[in-house]
Amino acid sequence: METKVHHTLIGLFVLLLTAAAIIIPLWLSAGFDQQQYKTYVVYVNESVDGLSVNAPVKYNGVDVGHVKSISLNPANTQQVKILLAIREGTPVTTNTTATLTTQGVTGVAYVGLKGGKVEGAKPLVVKPGATYPQITATPSIFMRLDTAISQLLNNLNEITHKFDQVLTPQNKILLNQSLENFH
């Protein structure tokens, strides 16, 4: 009789240990996260290189959610569709904008949210025919820098072209003669 009790206790101990080995990692990995999230969509017209699923979403630098999914927009393959899971209670309004940002030296990409004035701003709602409310995207610093450099190069090319038009062979001779008269 005594051996049966020991085997039963050992079996019960093994079952409890197995259950703990399953439940504790789930609990530690936030499997029991009680936060409520709302899903929003952002369409960006630039590369999302470096951004990944579960990347943070930050509102003025504060973690408020994560990236749920990243895909091409089926209606416009020049755009990337990003689904965001944002904690309920985060002030996402019609003034809120989303920007792709990188963090410090590491270059870890995340979605940064900025809000305008909260007073008078309306909460985002789902537009007819859409599945989720849409947050307006603004160009990242890299996209703005790329645009500014492209414009600068175009302006330099235009100036060079105009300068070449002014410096015809005849004008070069006249300019040289004028410079010699200054001596």
Side-chain angles (χ1 to χ4, degrees):
M1 187 74 147
E2 201 171 296
T3 28
K4 286 184 181 180
V5 173
H6 289 297
H7 290 327
T8 305
L9 286 176
I10 292 171
L12 183 62
F13 178 74
V14 169
L15 284 174
L16 288 174
L17 192 61
T18 304
I22 293 171
I23 292 171
I24 290 173
L26 285 174
W27 179 59
L28 291 176
S29 68
F32 296 113
D33 188 9
Q34 297 301 317
Q35 292 284 337
Q36 297 294 322
Y37 292 89
K38 286 184 73 177
T39 302
Y40 294 88
V41 66
V42 177
Y43 294 102
V44 295
N45 295 313
E46 60 184 286
S47 171
V48 294
D49 195 29
L51 186 68
S52 62
V53 174
N54 292 324
V57 174
K58 297 182 180 191
Y59 190 97
N60 290 338
V62 177
D63 282 334
V64 293
H66 61 275
V67 174
K68 263 177 107 167
S69 72
I70 304 169
S71 61
L72 289 177
N73 180 3
N76 179 358
T77 56
Q78 297 300 318
Q79 291 182 328
V80 177
K81 177 182 177 182
I82 305 171
L83 288 181
L84 308 177
I86 299 174
R87 273 191 223 115
E88 282 191 4
T90 304
V92 179
T93 65
T94 53
N95 295 338
T96 304
T97 59
T99 306
L100 295 176
T101 310
T102 55
Q103 185 172 346
V105 179
T106 60
V108 175
Y110 67 92
V111 177
L113 301 178
K114 278 192 168 190
K117 293 181 180 178
V118 177
E119 301 85 30
K122 298 174 185 160
L124 279 179
V125 294
V126 179
K127 293 179 182 174
T131 310
Y132 306 108
Q134 181 179 343
I135 299 173
T136 304
T138 57
S140 67
I141 187 75
F142 297 113
M143 184 65 140
R144 290 181 295 203
L145 187 60
D146 181 52
T147 303
I149 289 173
S150 294
Q151 288 176 344
L152 177 65
L153 289 175
N154 286 338
N155 289 343
L156 286 175
N157 283 337
E158 191 174 319
I159 289 169
T160 303
H161 181 67
K162 288 181 179 182
F163 197 65
D164 283 343
Q165 288 177 339
V166 170
L167 286 181
T168 61
Q170 185 180 3
N171 285 345
K172 286 180 185 177
I173 293 169
L174 292 173
L175 182 63
N176 282 336
Q177 288 174 354
S178 298
L179 290 174
E180 285 177 8
N181 289 335
F182 278 119
H183 290 296

